[in-house]
Amino acid sequence: PFLLNVLQHQSFTDAAVDTYFIDEHPELFAFKPSQNRAQKLLAYLGEVQVNGATTPLATSLKPAHVVPPVPHVRADQEPVTRSRPPVGLHSVLVNEGAEAFAKAVRRKKGCMITDTTFRDAHQSLLATRVRTYDMAKISPFVSSAFPHLFSMENWGGATFDVSMRFLHECPWERLETLRKLIPNIPFQCLLRGANAMGYSNYPDNVINKFAELAVKSGMDIFRVFDSLNYLPNLLVGMEAVGRAGGVVEAAIAYTGDVSDSTRTQYNLQYYMDLAEQLVKAQCHILCIKDMAGVLKPAAAKLLITALRDKYPDMPIHVHSHDTAGAAVASMVECAKAGADIVDAAVDSMSGMTSQPSMGAIVASLQGTNFETGLNLDAISQYSAYWESARQLYAPFECATTMKSGNADVYKHEIPGGQYTNLQFQAFSLGLGDKFDEVKRMYREANLALGDIIKVTPSSKIVGDLAQFMVQNNLTRETLVDRADELSFPKSVVEFMQGHVGQPPYGFPEPLRTKVLRGKPKIDGRSGAQLPALDFDKVKVELEEKHGRKLREVDVMSSAMFPRVFDDFEQFRQRFGPVDKLPTRVFFSGLDIAEECDVEIETENEIFSVFFDLNGQMRSIFVQDRE
Ligand code: 3PY
Ligand code: ZN
């Protein structure tokens, strides 16, 4: 500690040090108490060794003994560093702002790709368990090999909650780490409108502050959606992002089938009307968010062509899932119909409930007017890395139960992330052969609720009701008949009260009245009634509780998930920065006689550098001046 204090002293760095330097500066001896991080990590490893994983492993499969191959960055793809100005779209955003960025996107020829590997792909395939450690290792390669990506989706959705709850990582540190490693590609996150990173409305000042902190921490583009496409909820998120200086990507959650004239509720007119409202509310980008993967090629062509014709200047971005296996075809149709950007996951993290394959889309668009600018050889190396890294997450692998795509999705419309959860639950209860029944009931539950849009959190309400119907042996008809005597799941009651928002075609009657039995109803947006959060007060209370100074972002984590944050904080104080452990070691501990290197950064970004000098180990301390 003494050496570190000297190194940071102004007189020392100015080389103005004489023989009295130490005598005249008693503060050099004011040592910060050691955080004992290495010792804490040993305690963690001991804990895992004796008591097993601190993160419950979902299956009996173990993380594989693999070292994912990090491809070399080629000479013509040198790593982009902060000292060299970043190239590409990110610099337009940083230098000229969100509106100029949107214009630049529209002017670009071809079709750009958003890479979802760091977010939705693992949310949909690996229960959101991919750790910063494995993302960070491949990030310099991504930064160098794919400067033409529109964006990297690496934050939001379930990642915020899961990283603290199960991985004992701070989501803000993840964002900051990736930002340093990928300075040139815009970052994208999924924002659940007035629910931000959570499952229900927060006070408006929390949403505003959240967007501000996210932009400060390195986030660029916010895909804002609402689980019922309820405009007032969407507007809260959009306004917060706009005020914070982020790119507002307003998302229309897509359901049904616009190419099927018998499906009248979510027809082309419905989507065009909502798009009009979002454009009027001054979004920078319009997104079609097909969370279940039900946008068939013909529907994609119809919808995107109509949007392109009506809004020639508006960038259009399409998100889909490959649950049935048709998403590559749909994304190609979107590109041809005028979409500026489509989402893909790297090949080895694509398919089934994840996004369609990046390599397949890039190859399909090669030689057309819709080239992506991405290099297939580089994609192949990137894919090889994840093919290996994915084996570290074997305990969470959806492929233990899911072997292929399935076109049933056009009937049940279960979102990608939820599908594997429900399937896994059915299998773990020994009801694997009943999964068909669960899917069938999900459809019935949705229709009983009035055929609503299904995505977090409305998808959970439908899932809860489906499970309830299976347990109580109910059909859609008997559910309504017996509704005044049944004890409904809390999520269903709150939905009927209006806590989630107002469904576009209203609440189902007489079911609503029978479920509510006089309970109060909310007519507008539930968040509008919530009192503002006093952040200063919360900070003081949290610092007292946890006995350390907290950052604004920590207070925000607590505002989103108070219990989860407290547990995370206590865990970290006990076991240190477990996010620095390699993934297999984190999940299953060390093998007998195994060695493992762990890099723990020192607090003030002072790095210890080790040299082998004529066979002797020497170390020096160097301050990172970047
Ligand atoms: C989420 O809200 O986490 C989603 O991925 C919705 O598609
Ligand atoms: Zn998705």
Side-chain angles (χ1 to χ4, degrees):
F2 174 67
L3 183 54
L4 297 188
N5 286 352
V6 173
L7 277 171
Q8 290 172 77
H9 200 281
Q10 186 69 39
S11 310
F12 186 85
T13 48
D14 293 350
V17 173
D18 57 23
T19 44
Y20 298 105
F21 175 58
I22 290 174
D23 292 339
E24 284 168 0
H25 294 282
E27 75 275 16
L28 294 172
F29 293 91
F31 303 142
K32 268 196 179 169
S34 154
Q35 294 192 59
N36 243 338
R37 290 194 255 193
Q39 193 68 27
K40 288 177 180 173
L41 287 180
L42 291 181
Y44 175 78
L45 291 174
E47 177 73 25
V48 176
Q49 224 72 25
V50 175
N51 294 320
T54 56
T55 296
L57 304 184
T59 65
S60 58
L61 292 179
K62 296 275 177 290
H65 281 71
V66 289
V67 181
V70 179
H72 289 295
V73 173
R74 294 203 318 261
D76 60 331
Q77 306 170 334
E78 283 170 48
V80 183
T81 63
R82 269 179 290 163
S83 49
R84 278 195 297 127
V87 290
L89 276 176
H90 189 245
S91 62
V92 177
L93 178 59
V94 171
N95 298 328
E96 299 171 48
E99 268 158 42
F101 173 79
K103 287 205 175 96
V105 171
R106 248 336 261 137
R107 272 198 307 271
K108 254 188 160 328
K109 292 211 163 44
C111 177
M112 281 183 284
I113 301 282
T114 285
D115 176 15
T116 65
T117 307
F118 286 22
R119 203 285 296 179
D120 205 358
H122 75 96
Q123 181 171 325
S124 301
L125 296 178
L126 300 170
T128 331
R129 295 303 201 275
V130 172
R131 302 170 67 238
T132 306
Y133 185 92
D134 297 305
M135 298 184 203
K137 282 227 172 331
I138 193 67
S139 287
F141 177 77
V142 169
S143 171
S144 308
F146 305 120
H148 299 298
L149 278 174
F150 169 73
S151 66
M152 294 284 300
E153 193 198 31
N154 56 16
W155 217 56
T159 63
F160 196 92
D161 175 12
V162 171
S163 67
M164 281 193 287
R165 194 191 291 261
F166 295 120
L167 305 177
H168 313 293
E169 300 190 352
C170 167
W172 301 94
E173 287 173 14
R174 173 178 296 181
L175 177 54
E176 290 157 353
T177 301
L178 297 178
R179 187 74 281 174
K180 278 190 196 150
L181 295 169
I182 309 180
N184 55 331
I185 301 171
F187 280 2
Q188 173 121 22
C189 83
L190 185 67
L191 188 74
R192 297 168 177 161
N195 302 338
M197 299 282 129
Y199 304 94
S200 58
N201 276 197
Y202 293 101
D204 292 1
N205 76 323
V206 173
I207 308 293
N208 290 334
K209 185 83 185 164
F210 181 85
E212 181 195 316
L213 291 174
V215 169
K216 272 195 199 147
S217 306
M219 186 43 64
D220 300 308
I221 304 159
F222 296 73
R223 178 174 293 162
V224 185
F225 77 96
D226 177 70
S227 80
L228 296 174
N229 281 340
Y230 182 50
L231 193 64
N233 279 346
L234 277 159
L235 292 180
V236 172
M238 290 169 66
E239 278 162 18
V241 171
R243 215 173 292 135
V247 177
V248 181
E249 180 176 312
I252 297 176
Y254 176 83
T255 195
D257 183 359
V258 288
S259 65
D260 178 350
S261 57
T262 64
R263 308 266 326 243
T264 49
Q265 208 154 279
Y266 301 102
N267 58 13
L268 187 60
Q269 197 54 47
Y270 167 80
Y271 293 110
M272 296 308 285
D273 289 348
L274 184 54
E276 181 65 15
Q277 314 260 29
L278 298 174
V279 171
K280 268 204 198 124
Q282 298 189 322
C283 61
H284 300 117
I285 299 176
L286 205 51
C287 171
I288 296 296
K289 176 177 163 59
D290 171 24
M291 56 280 168
V294 294
L295 182 69
K296 295 175 188 164
K301 184 172 174 187
L302 195 72
L303 180 56
I304 303 304
T305 304
L307 289 169
R308 178 78 297 146
D309 286 352
K310 182 138 187 232
Y311 305 108
D313 299 328
M314 176 61 64
I316 298 175
H317 194 163
V318 187
H319 173 81
S320 187
H321 287 251
D322 201 27
T323 312
V328 173
S330 292
M331 292 308 99
V332 169
E333 282 303 322
C334 289
K336 289 191 197 158
D340 301 85
I341 317 134
V342 298
D343 283 8
V346 74
D347 311 17
S348 54
M349 291 284 282
S350 75
M352 299 200 291
T353 51
S354 175
Q355 274 62 64
S357 150
M358 185 187 292
I361 294 176
V362 170
S364 302
L365 294 175
Q366 253 176 357
T368 71
N369 290 333
F370 316 104
E371 291 259 9
T372 60
L374 301 185
N375 176 299
L376 277 172
D377 290 334
I379 292 176
S380 164
Q381 290 179 298
Y382 183 36
S383 183
Y385 173 84
W386 281 110
E387 187 150 353
S388 174
R390 189 168 166 173
Q391 297 177 55
L392 297 166
Y393 298 92
F396 309 103
E397 185 56 87
C398 77
T400 46
T401 49
M402 192 177 186
K403 302 294 178 206
S404 65
N406 192 327
D408 281 354
V409 70
Y410 299 118
K411 282 213 163 121
H412 55 68
E413 301 177 337
I414 302 174
Q418 191 183 24
Y419 188 93
T420 40
N421 262 341
L422 287 176
Q423 189 177 39
F424 187 76
Q425 265 172 25
F427 273 77
S428 57
L429 295 172
L431 301 173
D433 51 342
K434 290 267 182 351
F435 187 51
D436 271 348
E437 166 81 355
V438 173
K439 288 194 279 189
R440 209 173 52 74
M441 263 321 155
Y442 191 96
R443 176 181 160 86
E444 292 301 302
N446 171 50
L447 294 174
L449 292 174
D451 191 4
I452 58 172
I453 290 142
K454 296 163 289 298
V455 60
T456 314
S458 61
S459 50
K460 180 173 180 303
I461 297 159
V462 178
D464 289 350
L465 184 59
Q467 226 158 344
F468 178 78
M469 288 168 74
V470 173
Q471 275 159 0
N472 292 287
N473 233 336
L474 294 164
T475 63
R476 203 178 349 146
E477 288 71 30
T478 54
L479 173 86
V480 178
D481 286 348
R482 294 178 43 201
D484 31 18
E485 63 193 55
L486 291 167
S487 171
F488 281 91
K490 185 163 170 265
S491 63
V492 175
V493 177
E494 286 179 354
F495 165 75
M496 293 294 195
Q497 284 187 284
H499 280 285
V500 179
Q502 309 290 315
Y505 293 95
F507 289 95
E509 286 295 3
L511 188 60
R512 186 189 201 195
T513 305
K514 288 187 175 190
V515 171
L516 287 184
R517 293 164 222 162
K519 285 201 176 64
K521 291 183 206 160
I522 298 169
D523 285 332
R525 174 170 70 82
S526 64
Q529 302 180 352
L530 297 172
L533 186 77
D534 183 343
F535 282 101
D536 293 337
K537 183 160 162 269
V538 174
K539 185 162 192 273
V540 170
E541 285 165 4
L542 283 173
E543 288 184 344
E544 190 148 302
K545 188 191 287 180
H546 295 296
R548 73 171 188 103
K549 280 248 156 292
L550 294 174
R551 300 197 298 161
E552 273 187 298
V553 292
D554 298 320
V555 180
M556 182 52 73
S557 297
S558 170
M560 292 281 129
F561 295 101
R563 282 271 311 279
V564 175
F565 176 77
D566 283 347
D567 291 348
F568 162 68
E569 184 63 27
Q570 278 164 14
F571 188 98
R572 200 174 242 204
Q573 294 209 6
R574 180 159 170 225
F575 290 125
V578 296
D579 54 320
K580 301 291 184 291
L581 295 169
T583 295
R584 184 177 53 78
V585 175
F586 169 75
F587 285 130
S588 28
L590 287 163
D591 294 340
I592 290 172
E594 183 180 1
E595 286 181 17
C596 140
D597 290 328
V598 182
E599 283 174 40
I600 312 175
E601 289 143 29
T602 52
E603 272 235 313
N604 300 300
E605 304 271 342
I606 294 175
F607 292 94
S608 23
V609 187
F610 293 92
F611 294 98
D612 183 337
L613 182 67
N614 297 333
Q616 280 195 6
M617 201 63 133
R618 298 281 176 90
S619 69
I620 56 164
F621 295 100
V622 183
Q623 176 133 28
D624 178 9
R625 268 187 279 277
E626 274 240 306

